Amino acid sequence: MPRFSVIVPVFKVQGFLRECLDSVLGQSYTDIEVIAVDDRSPDGCGAILDRYAERDPRVRVLHLTENVGLGRARNAGMPHATGDFLLFLDSDDTLTPGALRAIADRLEETGDPDVLVFDYARTYWWGGTRRNALARVLAEAGDGTFTAAEHPEILELLMVVWNKAYRRDFVEREGFAFPPGYYEDTPWTFPALLSARRIATLDRICLNYRQRRQGNILSTTSRKHFDVHDQYERVFAFVDAHPEPARWRPYLRHKMGEHCLDILAKPDRLPAGDKREFFDRTAELFRRHRTDEPVPAELRVLEGGYARYRARQRTAAAGTALGERGRQVRGAAAGRIKRGWSWAHGRRSLDPGLAVYSAFSHRGVLGDPAAIHRAARELAPDIRGVWVVREDQVRDLPPDIEYVVPGSWAYHRVTARATYFVNNVNWPGALVKRPGSVHIHTHQGTPLKYMGADLLGKPGARYGFDVPQMLRRADRWDHSLVANRHSELVWDRAYPCHFASARTGSPRNDVLVNAGPGDGAGFRLRHGIPEDHTVVLYAPTRRDHVRGGHAERFDAARFAEDLGEGHTLVVRLHPSLADGPARGMGLAELHRRGVVVDATDEPHVEEVMLASDALVTDYSALMFDYAVLDRPIVVHADDWGAFTAGRGAYFDITADPPGHVSRSYRELAWLFASGCWRDADAARLRAGFRARFCEFDDGRAAQRVVRTLMLGEPDVPPSIPAPATGDSDLLTGRR
């Protein structure tokens, strides 16, 4: 029988679930069992849990047949617990290192009390951490055990279930269970603490309570917050049925009033039209459970009406609002003229036949948005497609492309009325998402290196990058396209916003999946590459730990020479390096002399890939697209440690590569000289990589986006094999 049973209810947390489970299973104290309850989670949580159970016999998974909510999911796990003590861990929170050892030692020291209360810290999505403000209560409780009557301050702590360890036979004897609805911790925690004959404390942070930017149930605007009244009714029913706890009725009445007024005061909890009803129900509950104790001054508002409450709120807010109003007036004056025109058009209805496209910060008709645009022209000709293109890129546009220039009157006109917005980069902050509009974000490929909010712990990589602003812009996304389950997990974590993952595949890769024998010949012809040459594409990525982003990993001229006769080396720099010094340091001259082909300015990277026979890259996301072609890939990883220290990576590409890995130029040259770059081992590694990262790329991604997300037709899932070898373990994705 284990010492601890850790019950973890799981629902829609696939971006955080591994971190939660790893924090438990990686503890130095191992006498545990984990009972994970899949509460009919619609994302990949169930599969993640099953893989953990396969790897670790301490994990047991319960898959519920219907979604029952947090409290009842915990109830479902309790009958399967065999440990001496129960711990409840929410699946987006984590235990701190050494927490279980510290809890076990404290339980032994205090003779296995009914309840042990330990400390926690709030961890914020932007990287900040704040300790429980009432941590002193734990320290002041002393070394021994006590009852709530002997140390009533213990009831001032946050009334949650997850900062405590409960002796299992105590819970079973008292028959504690969680009710349905919001605030389900309240009618569990008060009865548990009031019934416990022996309570102990541990003045140590044992849990990180994740403050999610979005997705926290209690931060959702909903009438479900009315559940708090029913939960306190359950608490009052408990004290009425138990003579000893009945003395706490005045205290509980005050706590109920404070709690409900706190919910009412928060702007993001209750719909505006329901606030009066919530106040009235709180006041009625407060009156019904009247006691002889005097009413604290801050709760006397409940003895008046809603109008008096609102008047007090307005008075309290007046001083703050006065100063804020001045700032708003100044800001409004500066932006009034700029916004006036688009505001007028914004009052007109959306045009269901208008879609606006952009790619790579308005650089042209490129990438995933271009593939979706082409498919929309064929499948939805009634939807007019307009591109946003920088003025300096207009000359390169195909003649049949309708476009607007950013900031122009035409730009404001189409963005004010468009229904569909398709982009692989965030739209500018000034673009307001109107109700009914559909924002489709395609991203720029499968992520290896840290993205979005995960960059908060990498100050060098996010230099000049405003993460909060980026997330506010990402709040406009309705759909996030993914080519694999790894990407789905990463985007959920890196962009804590409200959007739906669309398992469409990558639209830009349709041309790779459907490629024929002659595709890519145009590129070879333009650059004078003989038909019988083996073309090696070298695509290095940028380095965030190097000034300017470019690091010369090896001599391209030497590599071209070492490849020998019958080979052509094509170099394509990362787009962010196209205008930097890298080409002036030798690449442009090598191209002029015909030593290498510089393909950095080629607008369509898909054509470059199709023209090549093999890819050499370090850590470029291009490898995930190239794998669709099932052609050899070599990863040159001579600075993997420095790269991950500076930027961070979601998994170790050197451990799970798409082909052979070279750690030095000598190894790279040998791979090609010996022919190993395309041997059986290379094919085996590539097959595993393709199964994992190309699973939704079936050549119909663009059609799928248009049909399901724009035309509203039933979703037709990609034709994919059985589940891949495993989505990303996010090995270094700790925050």
Side-chain angles (χ1 to χ4, degrees):
M1 186 170 66
R3 186 62 163 159
F4 296 122
S5 295
V6 184
I7 298 174
V8 185
V10 177
F11 183 74
K12 292 180 69 172
V13 288
Q14 61 180 6
F16 307 102
L17 181 54
R18 283 186 174 82
E19 189 174 0
C20 171
L21 295 174
D22 289 345
S23 77
V24 180
L25 300 174
Q27 292 277 319
S28 59
Y29 189 88
T30 59
D31 189 15
I32 64 171
E33 65 178 1
V34 175
I35 300 170
V37 184
D38 172 16
D39 190 17
R40 192 72 175 176
S41 187
D43 56 8
C45 287
I48 293 171
L49 293 176
D50 288 341
R51 283 193 288 276
Y52 269 83
E54 291 171 2
R55 296 197 301 256
D56 195 319
R58 296 176 296 172
V59 179
R60 180 173 183 179
V61 181
L62 306 178
H63 293 286
L64 303 187
T65 58
E66 61 177 332
N67 176 248
V68 298
L70 182 59
R72 288 190 285 184
R74 291 170 179 155
N75 291 343
M78 281 195 286
H80 300 276
T82 61
D84 298 331
F85 281 83
L86 303 178
L87 287 95
F88 298 93
L89 180 65
D90 288 354
S91 48
D92 54 352
D93 296 338
T94 57
L95 296 182
T96 61
L100 291 183
R101 168 58 66 186
I103 293 171
D105 289 347
R106 182 63 173 146
L107 289 173
E108 182 178 0
E109 182 182 26
T110 53
D112 285 4
D114 296 327
V115 181
L116 174 71
V117 186
F118 48 80
D119 203 8
Y120 67 93
R122 297 174 186 264
T123 58
Y124 295 86
W125 64 268
W126 42 266
T129 301
R130 180 166 62 87
R131 188 176 186 181
N132 168 26
L134 293 176
R136 59 169 181 77
V137 173
L138 301 175
E140 292 169 358
D143 294 333
T145 62
F146 55 88
T147 64
E150 294 167 340
H151 189 54
E153 293 84 357
I154 199 70
L155 299 177
E156 294 299 316
L157 296 173
L158 193 64
M159 283 292 107
V160 290
V161 69
W162 39 254
N163 66 341
K164 303 171 183 71
Y166 305 87
R167 204 176 73 249
R168 183 167 59 88
D169 59 9
F170 163 68
V171 170
E172 292 174 349
R173 183 186 73 228
E174 299 293 335
F176 295 137
F178 293 94
Y182 282 17
Y183 306 100
E184 75 292 332
D185 285 8
T186 300
W188 168 289
T189 311
F190 276 121
L193 291 177
L194 296 177
S195 301
R197 299 187 182 95
R198 299 175 65 247
I199 302 171
T201 61
L202 173 60
D203 183 21
R204 184 192 191 279
I205 295 174
C206 295
L207 182 139
N208 286 321
Y209 173 35
R210 188 187 300 274
Q211 303 292 282
R212 292 166 65 179
R213 182 175 178 270
Q214 294 183 6
N216 185 332
I217 292 176
L218 295 185
S219 296
T220 303
T221 303
S222 168
R223 279 188 60 87
K224 290 185 178 180
H225 292 282
F226 279 77
D227 287 352
V228 71
H229 301 118
D230 293 336
Q231 307 298 23
Y232 273 100
E233 287 284 31
R234 291 183 171 98
V235 176
F236 287 123
F238 171 81
V239 298
D240 287 344
H242 296 78
E244 180 59 28
R247 62 188 291 270
W248 292 97
R249 175 177 285 278
Y251 174 84
L252 294 171
R253 181 185 185 230
H254 295 165
K255 290 294 288 186
M256 181 275 296
E258 290 174 356
H259 193 173
C260 292
L261 287 177
D262 182 63
I263 294 170
L264 185 61
K266 286 183 164 57
D268 60 349
R269 296 296 192 270
L270 295 161
D274 295 328
K275 290 191 173 184
R276 177 185 291 272
E277 180 186 353
F278 186 89
F279 176 89
D280 291 342
R281 288 183 61 176
T282 301
E284 193 278 330
L285 189 62
F286 195 70
R287 287 191 298 272
R288 182 147 35 94
H289 294 285
R290 183 181 291 111
T291 68
D292 295 332
E293 296 288 329
V295 177
E298 65 272 14
L299 297 180
R300 289 173 191 162
V301 67
L302 289 171
E303 298 179 326
Y306 184 69
R308 182 180 299 178
Y309 166 78
R310 289 291 297 137
R312 192 184 75 169
Q313 293 295 100
R314 286 192 293 268
T315 300
T320 302
L322 189 61
E324 180 64 24
R325 192 173 299 120
R327 289 189 292 273
Q328 290 176 348
V329 168
R330 291 190 293 272
R336 190 174 294 120
I337 295 176
K338 183 177 180 180
R339 294 196 304 268
W341 191 94
S342 58
W343 174 83
H345 278 266
R347 300 187 67 185
R348 299 171 62 187
S349 60
L350 294 178
D351 183 350
L354 179 58
V356 178
Y357 298 86
S358 180
F360 300 105
S361 300
H362 316 316
R363 280 180 37 222
V365 183
L366 304 166
D368 290 310
I372 296 170
H373 180 231
R374 288 193 297 270
R377 280 183 159 184
E378 176 186 347
L379 301 173
D382 293 337
I383 297 180
R384 170 187 165 210
V386 179
W387 280 83
V388 181
V389 182
R390 289 186 341 220
E391 194 164 11
D392 62 339
Q393 300 293 325
V394 168
R395 65 182 182 275
D396 297 323
L397 291 178
D400 61 341
I401 293 296
E402 183 179 357
Y403 71 91
V404 294
V405 174
S408 66
W409 292 123
Y411 166 83
H412 289 294
R413 185 165 58 246
V414 298
T415 56
R417 297 207 58 206
T419 294
Y420 305 102
F421 291 80
V422 183
N423 203 343
N424 65 1
V425 179
N426 264 325
W427 293 98
L431 192 153
V432 177
K433 175 176 168 57
R434 295 185 61 192
S437 64
V438 178
H439 283 239
I440 300 170
H441 192 76
T442 72
H443 302 281
Q444 296 181 36
T446 293
L448 170 63
K449 54 193 177 185
Y450 276 10
M451 303 291 289
D454 285 327
L455 290 174
L456 288 166
K458 298 291 181 180
R462 64 177 171 84
Y463 178 74
F465 180 61
D466 190 334
V467 173
Q469 181 186 68
M470 176 273 298
L471 293 178
R472 286 192 294 272
R473 294 177 178 181
D475 284 334
R476 296 172 295 196
W477 302 351
D478 293 293
H479 303 284
S480 164
L481 307 190
V482 298
N484 47 66
R485 277 167 270 211
H486 161 80
S487 296
E488 189 172 71
L489 289 169
V490 169
W491 299 143
D492 273 1
R493 175 194 178 94
Y495 298 99
C497 308
H498 286 303
F499 56 79
S501 287
R503 292 181 172 184
T504 58
S506 296
R508 68 185 179 282
N509 286 347
D510 289 346
V511 67
L512 304 181
V513 178
N514 301 319
D519 291 340
F523 175 86
R524 289 189 175 220
L525 183 63
R526 285 198 308 275
H527 293 282
I529 301 174
E531 291 184 9
D532 61 344
H533 267 215
T534 297
V535 175
V536 177
L537 171 61
Y538 174 46
T541 194
R542 67 173 288 117
R543 264 67 174 173
D544 294 290
H545 62 283
V546 175
R547 186 182 299 276
H550 177 68
E552 199 77 47
R553 305 315 308 169
F554 55 79
D555 185 343
R558 180 181 176 186
F559 187 39
E561 181 180 358
D562 287 343
L563 286 173
E565 292 293 328
H567 292 76
T568 295
L569 178 63
V570 176
V571 180
R572 183 179 176 86
L573 297 177
H574 188 277
S576 66
L577 304 175
D579 298 324
R583 296 162 100 174
M585 293 171 65
L587 182 57
E589 175 64 12
L590 293 176
H591 176 78
R592 186 189 66 79
R593 290 166 42 204
V595 177
V596 304
V597 173
D598 179 7
T600 304
D601 288 336
E602 287 286 333
H604 302 291
V605 67
E606 298 85 4
E607 188 179 13
V608 181
M609 289 191 282
L610 286 167
S612 66
D613 299 292
L615 171 69
V616 175
T617 186
D618 35 34
Y619 324 115
S620 171
L622 194 70
M623 75 177 87
F624 298 98
D625 300 330
Y626 198 84
V628 172
L629 293 171
D630 197 18
R631 299 177 187 176
I633 302 172
V634 173
V635 176
H636 186 57
D638 65 331
D639 66 339
W640 175 244
F643 180 85
T644 54
R647 178 63 186 243
Y650 290 111
F651 68 97
D652 186 352
I653 192 64
T654 66
D656 296 297
H660 288 296
V661 177
S662 58
R663 301 283 187 172
S664 65
Y665 175 74
R666 182 177 180 180
E667 290 182 8
L668 175 64
W670 178 85
L671 284 171
F672 281 88
S674 65
C676 290
W677 61 281
R678 55 182 174 185
D679 63 9
D681 283 341
R684 176 183 55 79
L685 292 168
R686 186 168 67 253
F689 193 83
R690 292 181 69 236
R692 184 177 180 184
F693 295 111
C694 306
E695 56 178 329
F696 303 150
D697 282 325
D698 64 352
R700 298 192 295 273
Q703 296 179 32
R704 191 172 293 112
V705 172
V706 174
R707 291 187 186 279
T708 61
L709 305 185
M710 299 176 78
L711 296 180
E713 296 180 4
D715 185 18
V716 179
S719 302
I720 59 175
T725 53
D727 43 14
S728 171
D729 287 333
L730 301 180
L731 292 176
T732 56
R734 308 290 181 253
R735 269 210 313 276

